[in-house]
Amino acid sequence: MAFSTLPVTSLKGVGPSLAEKLGKLGVSTTLDLLLHLPRRYQDRSRLVELGALTSEAECLVEGEIVAARITFGRQRSLLVTIQDETGFLNLRFFHFARNQQQSLQPGVRVRCFGQVRLGREGFEIVHPEYRIFSGAAPALEHALTPVYPTTKGLGQTRLRALVGQVLDQGLPDDDGLPYQSLQTLHQPPTDTTATDIAACQERLAIDELTAYYLVMRRRQALRAELGTRALPPAQQLGRRLLTNLGFQLTGAQRRVLKEVLEDLEKTEPMLRLLQGDVGSGKTVIAAFAAIRASEHQAQTALMAPTEILAEQHYLNFRDWLSPLGIEVVHLTGSQSAAARRESLEAIASGRALVAVGTHALFQQQVSFRTLALTIVDEQHRFGVHQRMALRAKGQLPHQLVMTATPIPRTLTMALYADMAVSVIDELPKGRQPIETAVLSDQRREDIFSRVAQLLEKGEQAYWVCPLIDDSEQLSAMSVETLSGLLNDGLPGAQIAMLHGRMPSAEKASVMARFKAGEIQLLLATTVVEVGVDVPNATLMVIENPERMGLSQLHQLRGRVGRGSVRSHCILLYGSPLSQAGKTRLQVMRDSQDGFYIAEKDLELRGPGDLLGTRQTGEQQFRIADLAVHAHLIPQVVTRGDQLLSNEPEVAARLLKIWAPEETTESAV
Ligand code: ADP
Ligand code: MG
């Protein structure tokens, strides 16, 4: 017998208002309710002796009131002392009603639950849940008490009762849901250990990740069945770019380019993830792919996450492609109406074979004549939805997705199972390692003379800080304050600011002047994080690096070390630095390998930062937590493959439970 999921309104006592509250928790069916797992547990199954209390523990205690008085500390409170044979405990109430005070008198027995802390007068519980009793003590709970994530107006007791109703229907273990684990997680017997709970969560996480993997594989299979326009070699335009470039492709670039071009020759629409560390040279691969499409008079859209980056790509592509007779246009939100109209017209008529822009590219007014290839740069900044909106502009265009965020291989195997993956694992020759120093920001002035020397030699620098204006909440460096410091410390230097609140045209002009060497030092927020490429910049100073993720720091640092001159990065932390902060910055000092840094980041902070929207926004797992469960992935992949080939019915049941919304044609 299979568990048939029903709307929550089928449960006793659930009317429209309760259903709405449940809806806020993402619970609209009885299955959702079963999968809405407790965040933690309370143990109300045993009494803790007052002599055995420990600070921070959440526990159930019992005793007789021996004193009750009002105290006047910083804040008036009612302090009630209880006693058992082994010791004392204070109950503290900052808010209390008169009748409450009257009932809590010496001689009365109470049972309380709450978190113990060490107060000035010994152990205490602030605002415990309590119950007065006389005669026989109230019974103890027979299970650990689950604490669910909840929302305003929906209490724990109510949630527990609703889950209880579903569990009481009697649950067979043979239809794809591991009921035994669910039962344990919702109503753990009193002897359940943390290890038992983790094992049950793991059991469910494996199912959930397997279902996700199956979804990805299915999308891949569906895509493979669809045909699109093949783009075999047609002219020799790529060869001409190769001779014009002025550098030789690295071995890794050549390998990856071959993978991309071979995909384009097929009628199966390409969906390829191109990973490569900052500075590994992904852009030029994109250019070769666009050239291949152009050889067929078919269009390419290249989408970048920021205007600065879109502008930079546009200039590169124009330099590379227009000598080959390929027209490149530019489309961003901040263009003048006339420029925009012209770009739109060139795209619609098919005259412009390459359009480079921001998310402005997938807005409704943009219509391509023959879009055959979409390229998305720094894809972790975009949701899959945006990528698909762009894709929808063509008839199943080939898709190339580029990212400098190194994703550990274990994660790509499952999370990107719908994509082919190429990795550029080699930097262009002649790159000097970036020397990284970690200094207290109290030594900021010490580095001014060094910066001045460097600028005098004709090199350029970035100085990055987290805030635009000073903030009362955050003690972190701002562009506002720093610009004063730098102007005093580096008299005569050409310094300009770059931050997200400046109008786009101004940002573009600052970037252009920095690129041209007219600006020597760019004082910026993290807007320069992604992709910006100025090979003559050889110094990156970062304020408050302790507030940033390692992957972000790696991206920022990757703005230098792009030429053949030795580059430096200085991490100016706000002191005092925590131990964890020290460890993190040490990783930056010791390594320049994006994959290693990403793995450390995963270890130290969890995967949210790393995976961007894939993990955080659009792909929230209900139960699996990659920080905890990433090690399960190889097993998930094996199981998923095995189900696909031998037990398709089991695979179908898993999908029905975990991905009911996954219809056949969506999201290929
Ligand atoms: P990313 O992979 O971070 O996007 P880019 O594509 O911006 O890197 O490349 C960084 C810089 O290296 C650019 O100036 C680019 O022209 C240059 N470059 C790319 N490939 C090579 C190569 N094989 N040899 C030398 N320079 C290269
Ligand atoms: Mg790039």
Side-chain angles (χ1 to χ4, degrees):
M1 190 202 83
F3 171 79
S4 48
T5 185
L6 295 168
V8 280
T9 44
S10 69
L11 293 170
K12 270 198 293 297
V14 182
S17 128
L18 184 51
E20 191 191 318
K21 285 176 193 142
L22 288 166
K24 284 195 191 139
L25 300 175
V27 172
S28 56
T29 65
T30 51
L31 176 62
D32 293 336
L33 201 53
L34 279 184
L35 298 179
H36 187 68
L37 295 186
R39 200 197 337 253
R40 58 191 182 87
Y41 300 88
Q42 297 170 341
D43 189 355
R44 297 164 192 256
S45 70
R46 59 193 184 93
L47 288 168
V48 177
E49 292 183 334
L50 298 183
L53 294 175
T54 51
S55 186
E56 305 303 315
E58 235 189 353
C59 54
L60 190 73
V61 295
E62 195 175 289
E64 183 179 320
I65 297 180
V66 290
R69 63 198 168 95
I70 306 281
T71 65
F72 299 89
R74 211 174 301 155
Q75 205 183 340
R76 191 177 89 114
S77 62
L78 169 63
L79 195 66
V80 175
T81 306
I82 63 170
Q83 178 189 21
D84 68 4
E85 295 81 58
T86 63
F88 295 91
L89 170 70
N90 290 319
L91 312 177
R92 191 183 290 278
F93 300 87
F94 291 108
H95 313 282
F96 51 92
R98 176 184 294 269
N99 61 354
Q100 199 176 7
Q101 184 187 355
Q102 280 163 353
S103 68
L104 291 167
Q105 289 300 328
V108 166
R109 293 185 66 73
V110 282
R111 165 84 58 88
C112 323
F113 185 86
Q115 186 172 35
V116 177
R117 59 169 214 189
L118 192 55
R120 241 179 316 162
E121 283 130 303
F123 282 129
E124 63 182 33
I125 299 181
V126 176
H127 287 273
E129 290 173 43
Y130 72 92
R131 160 167 179 192
I132 292 172
F133 65 93
S134 56
L140 296 169
E141 300 278 346
H142 293 298
L144 298 181
T145 310
V147 181
Y148 292 97
T150 189
T151 180
K152 203 167 160 233
L154 180 55
Q156 293 294 333
T157 323
R158 192 64 164 284
L159 266 170
R160 272 172 226 148
L162 291 173
V163 174
Q165 263 193 64
V166 181
L167 287 172
D168 284 348
Q169 292 169 5
L171 303 169
D173 216 345
D174 64 356
D175 69 342
L177 258 189
Y179 290 116
Q180 198 49 56
S181 296
L182 285 169
Q183 179 91 42
T184 306
L185 289 169
H186 286 294
Q187 299 176 344
T190 51
D191 57 355
T192 311
T193 62
T195 318
D196 297 335
I197 296 286
C200 291
Q201 285 167 338
E202 192 163 290
R203 174 78 182 72
L204 284 154
I206 290 178
D207 275 10
E208 182 175 35
L209 291 170
T210 305
Y212 185 83
Y213 175 73
L214 292 172
V215 167
M216 290 298 134
R217 285 289 308 271
R218 176 152 148 190
R219 288 185 186 176
Q220 185 191 35
L222 286 168
R223 198 178 60 245
E225 284 171 16
L226 302 167
T228 191
R229 179 164 178 191
L231 303 168
Q235 305 167 45
Q236 298 285 314
L237 295 182
R239 208 160 286 281
R240 280 174 56 199
L241 174 60
L242 210 51
T243 42
N244 293 350
L245 267 181
F247 54 73
Q248 299 248 303
L249 295 185
T250 62
Q253 282 173 314
R254 281 203 301 274
R255 188 191 70 237
V256 163
L257 180 57
K258 186 157 169 276
E259 289 166 354
V260 172
L261 294 180
E262 279 173 5
D263 278 0
L264 293 178
E265 287 181 32
K266 299 183 190 150
T267 53
E268 175 182 329
M270 168 172 83
L271 178 54
R272 185 168 281 277
L273 178 68
L274 172 51
Q275 284 184 270
D277 209 343
V278 285
S280 62
K282 295 182 290 296
T283 318
V284 72
I285 304 295
F288 280 107
I291 288 175
R292 173 59 66 79
S294 303
E295 289 183 354
H296 293 262
Q297 297 301 309
Q299 290 172 300
T300 299
L302 167 61
M303 178 162 76
T306 63
E307 301 226 336
I308 292 178
L309 201 52
E311 173 80 16
Q312 177 182 295
H313 281 333
Y314 167 65
L315 296 174
N316 274 328
F317 270 58
R318 203 188 51 188
D319 288 352
W320 285 334
L321 305 194
S322 44
L324 311 179
I326 300 169
E327 181 171 343
V328 182
V329 295
H330 187 205
L331 200 71
T332 67
S334 61
Q335 277 171 313
S336 73
R340 186 180 165 74
R341 209 171 324 112
E342 207 179 302
S343 291
L344 285 174
E345 191 276 318
I347 294 170
S349 70
R351 193 182 76 227
L353 289 178
V354 179
V356 181
T358 55
H359 53 276
L361 276 176
F362 59 74
Q363 282 158 4
Q364 227 182 357
Q365 312 88 299
V366 190
S367 93
F368 288 85
R369 206 169 110 85
T370 54
L371 182 61
L373 170 65
T374 67
I375 304 173
V376 178
D377 193 17
E378 303 299 346
Q379 78 95 29
H380 65 292
R381 297 299 177 100
F382 293 106
V384 159
H385 300 298
Q386 283 164 313
R387 181 160 63 76
M388 289 196 316
L390 182 58
R391 193 205 66 173
K393 302 240 169 239
Q395 289 186 325
L396 278 178
H398 297 283
Q399 302 177 70
L400 180 65
V401 174
M402 307 197 290
T403 181
T405 310
I407 304 161
R409 166 127 181 88
T410 36
L411 297 185
T412 36
M413 274 189 341
L415 300 186
Y416 293 84
D418 57 335
M419 296 183 164
V421 179
S422 292
V423 182
I424 307 186
D425 52 5
E426 179 186 352
L427 293 180
K429 269 206 272 313
R431 291 276 163 83
Q432 302 274 345
I434 305 166
E435 252 167 62
T436 302
V438 179
L439 294 182
S440 154
D441 62 4
Q442 283 157 3
R443 298 190 44 200
R444 188 181 294 111
E445 310 215 333
D446 299 350
I447 59 179
F448 284 156
S449 63
R450 221 174 108 189
V451 177
Q453 273 172 22
L454 179 142
L455 301 183
E456 219 141 275
K457 278 192 291 181
E459 294 170 30
Q460 291 166 282
Y462 299 94
W463 202 306
V464 173
C465 57
L467 301 175
I468 300 179
D469 306 311
D470 283 334
S471 150
E472 291 191 354
Q473 283 84 37
L474 286 177
S475 62
M477 181 51 83
S478 70
V479 171
E480 184 188 353
T481 302
L482 191 56
S483 103
L485 294 175
L486 293 183
N487 282 319
D488 293 346
L490 297 167
Q494 291 299 319
I495 303 177
M497 290 193 253
L498 185 74
H499 59 73
R501 270 211 321 262
M502 284 160 47
S504 306
E506 205 177 318
K507 273 191 284 193
S509 122
V510 167
M511 264 331 283
R513 281 162 50 219
F514 186 59
K515 206 158 186 160
E518 292 161 29
I519 292 166
Q520 296 176 288
L521 189 152
L522 195 61
L523 163 51
T525 55
T526 54
V527 291
V528 292
E529 175 192 338
V530 204
V532 170
D533 185 41
V534 179
N536 192 46
T538 57
L539 174 68
M540 166 65 70
V541 185
I542 304 173
E543 300 271 351
N544 300 110
E546 73 280 6
R547 294 184 173 277
M548 301 178 194
L550 292 187
S551 294
Q552 187 178 22
L553 289 172
H554 179 65
Q555 285 280 338
L556 282 170
R557 181 172 59 183
R559 299 311 105 217
V560 298
R562 301 185 150 243
S564 49
V565 178
R566 191 169 204 89
S567 291
H568 296 266
C569 173
I570 301 175
L571 303 175
L572 273 186
Y573 62 85
S575 36
L577 189 59
S578 70
Q579 190 50 49
K582 252 181 222 148
T583 312
R584 277 156 34 80
L585 296 186
Q586 241 153 27
V587 172
M588 292 306 296
R589 201 188 51 202
D590 297 344
S591 174
Q592 228 176 290
D593 174 350
F595 277 85
Y596 172 80
I597 291 173
E599 260 158 25
K600 283 288 170 192
D601 217 8
L602 184 68
E603 213 175 285
L604 298 169
R605 292 216 319 181
D609 182 51
L610 215 70
L611 295 174
T613 51
R614 259 275 152 148
Q615 165 62 1
T616 50
E618 120 228 350
Q619 185 53 58
Q620 276 276 16
F621 293 111
R622 290 191 199 217
I623 289 160
D625 173 355
L626 290 176
V628 181
H629 298 129
H631 71 281
L632 298 172
I633 286 180
Q635 168 184 352
V636 160
V637 170
T638 313
R639 176 161 175 245
D641 289 343
Q642 192 260 332
L643 292 182
L644 279 178
S645 39
N646 303 330
E647 298 175 78
E649 339 71 58
V650 179
R653 283 204 297 261
L654 274 181
L655 285 177
K656 208 166 142 209
I657 289 167
W658 295 97
E661 71 290 347
E662 186 72 15
T663 58
T664 40
E665 286 296 323
S666 74
V668 177

